[in-house]
Amino acid sequence: MAKRTIAYAWSLASLTAILVASVSLPSLAPAQGRGPTDPGVRGGAAGAGDPLTGLTAAELAFFEAAKEVFAEVDAVADGLGPRFNLDSCLGCHSQPASGGSAPAINPQVAVAQRDKNTVPSFITADGPVREARFVRNPDGTPDGGVHGLFVIAGRADAPGCNIAQPNFAAELARNNVVFRIPTPTFGLGLVESTTDAALVASLAANGAQKRALGISGRFNHNGNDGTIARFGWKAQNKSLLLFAGEAYNVEIGVTNDLFPNEREGNPNCQFNHTHPESPTPLESENTPSPSASFQSDIALFAAFMRLLAPPTPAGATPAVAAATTPSSTQVASASSVLPAAAGTTSTAATTSTTSTTATVARGRQVFANIGCSACHTPTQKSGGANVAALSNVTFSPYSDFAVHDMGDRLADGVSQGEANGREFRTAPLWGVGQRVFFLHDGRTKDLGEAIAQHASRGSEANQVIQNFNALAGADRQAVLNFLRSL
Amino acid sequence: MQRLSKLGAAASLAAMLASVLAAALAWRYGEAILTFAVTSAMPDPQDGRVTGDSYTNPYFGLSYPLPKGFAEGLAGPDPSHSGYYVLANLVSQAEGAGTILIAAQDTFFDEARRDLAEAASETRDTMAQIDGMSIDREPAEIMIGRQPASRSAWRIDFNGVGLYRAMVITEMRCHLVSITLTAPDPQARETLASSLDQIVLAAGRDPVCIRDYAAGNQLIRKVAPTDMAPSSIPIPARIIIGSDGAVRHVHVIRATDGQRKSIEPALRQWTFKPHTINGRAVEVETGLALGGGGRFTSSN
């Protein structure tokens, strides 16, 4: 197991938490005209990052050990690079808690400057954590692979390494770069435990509604065994272990049991001569979990994601569950969507909470009625699992885990598995209330804009977006309020 | 004769332009799927267009004069692996005044094998389960299109969150064709529904639709596609078999460009026993699925 430098990660996480909190205040401006207003990142406590409820003591210890490894910062001696996008899992997956998505302040900028790299133009301090993919090779053939943003050449622990960063400016000039942001990993053990049959049945269950909306959708199957792959922006990864192994090599540059070969073979830049750089340990690493002490890093990353609880919606209270359907005239403005901040006990706060309940309930109804839920399927059910807390659980990912044609605007030209350059997995919406950046490349922070981007030539979502646009203003606002409650 | 050669030249030019467009799309999207046949004069289901004030679809022999103020909206996705097509998205130019979605499901690939009544009933039950959706009109049989070629259809109305919708489903040439109307109020919905009376349906002689015809003993010669890229999902194709038993037209509904190039020439070489009705050989239209099985038996 690699040496671990946790202090940096924690200070980074703390800084991020402070900065995120500072931008988490609700927008107090009411919706202008007919356009809905994104209430913004939901404030209050992070509704995610905890382990599943019901874990045994051994499972909990395993989770805690895995969580520590997830936060580790890798150095060159640990296998970092030669090319990389960041030096820890947590750095990318930290919003609103460990395991999440891109934070409000991009840690890639500080890491690039520390390691004497040029910061590419598409990486900004207040922008999303991004990886870059090239659509085509210089000879015009399909590429689609991740090209690491940074190199270790400028680091003190990489003497003699002299490789250069890719020429992103040139690739941007020829319109050859597309981006991806980190997907949140909360609740993914439940997704992994869902049977193919359950996903197929779920996709077919509302077929009539889909046919009335111009929606089809299909699964991305794994090329090795033909089963449904379900992780990643294009559902290209079959399992959490595969997801972890690929990311460790592609994003951080650490070779491992699943991806044992260096992507950058320059011999002057190889400093960790073990193969793979992060193997399964044969001696105890002395973690709080006896089992975790003998697990590889990628096994622990996967375990962490597997045992993370799903995000908790803001409205997950009996009051919301029992809410009756209000008329559209009862829908509150954006200013009332967020729960009262912790410690607020005023009458206004009570009124706000009541209105919030109403608008969220209405938004949920509108969301289903106009067809969003045809793809953003509210509930799935896991199958049997070794971990009892994952076994036969009904959960609410708001995804069918199928890939859909999302049209010209979102097309990235990258094929992965059976998903072509226009298809993307239905992004799970659980936890979206505390997300900062939206869509696969993080192109917007605005939920309303994210919805609008679903419509373009060739998109399966066109009719649904037309329905959304035809709604009364209050109902469109209710949809955004509902989404920010998730 | 001169006129024919001009037509031929125009067709060649159109084919060349289509090829250029196809190449451009392939360059832009890598493995992007190319869903239109660039070498065949026979129309396919997705070949409908809005021209002037009408939506016309030569495959279905359908012409629909658009309601006043409507125009073509954003195009839909490519046909799906299950043979589902978004044929047209028509939108009112007046904001929020309505939309019309015309779609089709190839009955050869409809696993549920639904008839019109069953499709209408399934729609009704699905919509009724959605929170806040009300059924305004139970499924009922109606007639659409101008006389004398009007035809039977089923209609169901439903509404929720201020959107008043009607779905009209009819059967046309091996497909269940659905027209979904969305309007801001019941009266506008009725106006849109009445526009369906203006649909003109050609009284042409379509091929006979026979499901699984290629799977039976009618098949005389079968040529397997060569160098076909593997696919874990079956690739749907629709063929038209002439009265002489030769394949007259191949439409690979959904595939990558490479798969298409492999499948199309192979299927054109298939031959069948001629299908007869009352002793007379007739054209047959059928569907078949290629690949998608048996390749996951080895770990090599």
Side-chain angles (χ1 to χ4, degrees):
Chain A
M1 197 176 291
K3 277 187 180 176
R4 280 140 194 179
T5 314
I6 300 176
Y8 170 76
W10 281 116
S11 63
L12 182 66
S14 303
L15 175 64
T16 302
I18 293 166
L19 292 168
V20 167
S22 70
V23 299
S24 298
L25 299 173
S27 165
L28 298 179
Q32 297 295 313
R34 297 192 65 218
T37 301
D38 182 358
V41 178
R42 193 176 78 238
D50 292 330
L52 290 160
T53 54
L55 293 181
T56 65
E59 290 163 347
L60 202 54
F62 197 88
F63 171 83
E64 293 299 338
K67 183 177 179 179
E68 282 191 21
V69 179
F70 192 82
E72 289 173 358
V73 173
D74 284 306
V76 171
D78 305 321
L80 176 70
R83 300 182 184 279
F84 65 102
N85 289 322
L86 206 62
D87 52 5
S88 74
C89 301
L90 177 62
C92 294
H93 295 274
S94 61
Q95 169 64 25
S98 180
S101 186
I105 301 301
N106 188 351
Q108 290 174 301
V109 174
V111 167
Q113 292 169 344
R114 180 199 67 192
D115 292 349
K116 301 179 178 58
N117 276 266
T118 299
V119 181
S121 61
F122 49 84
I123 298 297
T124 58
D126 60 353
V129 168
R130 278 174 162 164
E131 65 170 26
R133 293 172 183 262
F134 292 170
V135 181
R136 295 176 299 281
N137 292 305
D139 64 1
T141 56
D143 180 347
V146 176
H147 291 253
L149 303 184
F150 311 123
V151 293
I152 59 173
R155 290 174 58 106
D157 55 357
C161 178
N162 59 359
I163 56 174
Q165 292 172 263
N167 187 343
F168 288 111
E171 297 298 331
L172 287 166
R174 67 186 194 108
N175 196 27
N176 195 35
V177 191
V178 293
F179 310 109
R180 300 271 175 88
I181 67 171
T183 51
T185 67
F186 307 121
L188 293 192
L190 294 166
V191 179
E192 191 175 52
S193 300
T194 303
T195 64
D196 280 20
L199 291 175
V200 170
S202 172
L203 187 68
N206 59 3
Q209 187 189 19
K210 289 191 179 85
R211 283 189 289 276
L213 294 164
I215 297 169
S216 46
R218 63 187 178 127
F219 292 110
N220 193 354
H221 295 86
N222 177 262
N224 288 319
D225 68 355
T227 56
I228 296 172
R230 54 196 74 178
F231 302 110
W233 283 102
K234 296 205 178 213
Q236 71 272 22
N237 279 322
K238 170 64 203 165
S239 69
L240 292 174
L241 185 59
L242 191 64
F243 193 47
E246 183 191 11
Y248 209 18
N249 194 18
V250 170
E251 312 294 352
I252 304 180
V254 180
T255 59
N256 54 73
D257 287 338
L258 280 181
F259 292 83
N261 306 114
E262 285 283 3
R263 302 181 76 216
E264 168 61 65
N266 188 315
N268 295 327
C269 299
Q270 312 303 324
F271 298 94
N272 181 324
H273 296 290
T274 60
H275 297 285
E277 292 162 330
S278 174
T280 301
L282 300 178
E283 295 177 9
S284 172
E285 294 282 337
N286 294 320
T287 74
S289 161
S291 176
S293 296
F294 289 98
Q295 298 288 333
S296 65
D297 284 7
I298 60 171
L300 292 171
F301 298 155
F304 173 63
M305 295 187 280
R306 190 173 293 126
L307 300 178
L308 270 171
T312 305
T317 63
V320 168
T324 54
T325 303
S327 72
S328 59
T329 54
Q330 290 176 274
V331 177
S333 70
S335 59
S336 64
V337 66
L338 296 172
T344 303
T345 55
S346 68
T347 305
T350 305
T351 305
S352 174
T353 303
T354 305
S355 300
T356 297
T357 302
T359 192
V360 166
R362 175 65 176 177
R364 181 183 293 110
Q365 185 185 64
V366 176
F367 181 85
N369 220 289
I370 64 174
C372 303
S373 61
C375 299
H376 292 285
T377 309
T379 59
Q380 302 282 356
K381 187 176 182 183
S382 67
N386 283 336
V387 176
L390 291 171
S391 194
N392 300 307
V393 176
T394 298
F395 59 103
S396 302
Y398 289 91
S399 175
D400 57 10
F401 298 100
V403 294
H404 297 268
D405 192 326
M406 296 311 298
D408 289 350
R409 269 170 119 178
L410 292 176
D412 67 356
V414 173
S415 299
Q416 290 184 280
E418 292 168 343
N420 68 31
R422 304 164 57 88
E423 290 175 311
F424 287 90
R425 180 190 68 162
T426 303
L429 296 180
W430 54 4
V432 78
Q434 296 191 310
R435 289 271 301 276
V436 179
F437 302 100
F438 301 114
L439 302 174
H440 64 278
D441 52 9
R443 65 181 67 181
T444 183
K445 294 179 178 179
D446 186 291
L447 261 182
E449 179 60 22
I451 291 170
Q453 292 277 335
H454 281 56
S456 66
R457 192 182 72 86
S459 172
E460 293 180 35
N462 285 340
Q463 182 62 47
V464 174
I465 302 307
Q466 286 172 179
N467 287 347
F468 178 79
N469 291 337
L471 291 170
D475 278 343
R476 282 188 286 159
Q477 186 63 56
V479 171
L480 267 60
N481 295 355
F482 160 64
L483 291 172
R484 281 301 192 184
S485 79
L486 295 178
Chain B
M1 195 67 180
Q2 203 173 18
R3 191 176 167 193
L4 277 176
S5 83
K6 278 183 182 171
L7 281 172
S12 300
L13 180 63
M16 279 175 57
L17 288 172
S19 298
V20 169
L21 178 60
L25 280 172
W27 176 81
R28 172 65 183 85
Y29 294 117
E31 283 298 308
I33 46 177
L34 306 176
T35 56
F36 47 88
V38 296
T39 57
S40 172
M42 274 198 179
D44 289 317
Q46 73 271 29
D47 289 340
R49 296 284 180 273
V50 173
T51 49
D53 295 331
S54 288
Y55 167 74
T56 57
N57 190 305
Y59 173 83
F60 290 111
L62 176 153
S63 178
Y64 173 36
L66 305 189
K68 190 178 178 186
F70 273 69
E72 188 172 21
L74 291 168
D78 295 312
S80 78
H81 277 92
S82 59
Y84 175 77
Y85 301 77
V86 173
L87 299 176
N89 174 29
L90 310 170
V91 297
S92 169
Q93 300 301 84
E95 190 181 355
T99 60
I100 301 169
L101 180 75
I102 307 177
Q105 172 62 55
D106 191 323
T107 53
F108 298 141
F109 303 102
D110 180 16
E111 290 184 6
R113 296 176 183 246
R114 297 159 301 145
D115 63 19
L116 280 181
E118 289 166 340
S121 177
E122 183 187 358
T123 302
R124 182 245 179 259
D125 293 345
T126 301
M127 296 303 174
Q129 288 172 13
I130 296 172
D131 180 28
M133 193 80 87
S134 301
I135 304 299
D136 298 334
R137 177 180 174 136
E138 293 292 335
E141 194 167 9
I142 62 168
M143 298 298 287
I144 61 167
R146 285 189 205 163
Q147 294 287 358
S150 60
R151 72 174 59 210
S152 170
W154 284 71
R155 175 177 169 181
I156 171 173
D157 291 5
F158 44 97
N159 91 85
V161 299
L163 302 179
Y164 291 81
R165 287 161 271 190
M167 189 175 194
V168 175
I169 314 170
T170 189
E171 190 160 9
M172 293 184 188
R173 190 174 169 175
C174 326
H175 291 76
L176 293 182
V177 175
S178 63
I179 304 173
T180 305
L181 313 169
T182 303
D185 56 65
Q187 189 177 354
R189 176 174 63 190
E190 215 47 47
T191 301
L192 291 182
S194 64
S195 73
L196 302 183
D197 293 336
Q198 302 307 311
I199 288 176
V200 176
L201 298 163
R205 188 176 292 165
D206 292 336
V208 178
C209 299
I210 303 180
R211 188 178 177 126
D212 298 330
Y213 192 74
N217 58 10
Q218 301 87 348
L219 180 61
I220 296 172
R221 181 172 186 244
K222 181 177 181 177
V223 177
T226 54
D227 299 328
M228 191 175 103
S231 171
S232 61
I233 30 180
I235 298 168
R238 191 175 52 81
I239 57 175
I240 296 175
I241 303 159
S243 55
D244 60 354
V247 173
R248 289 191 61 212
H249 180 66
V250 175
H251 176 213
V252 179
I253 297 172
R254 172 86 183 227
T256 63
D257 192 31
Q259 290 164 337
R260 191 178 304 278
K261 283 177 181 169
S262 173
I263 292 169
E264 286 177 349
L267 290 183
R268 285 200 187 93
Q269 298 176 65
W270 289 25
T271 55
F272 295 81
K273 293 176 190 168
H275 183 71
T276 59
I277 295 179
N278 297 327
R280 183 170 155 269
V282 296
E283 285 190 339
V284 169
E285 185 162 343
T286 192
L288 65 157
L290 296 103
R295 62 178 286 262
F296 301 112
T297 55
S298 167
S299 60
N300 293 323

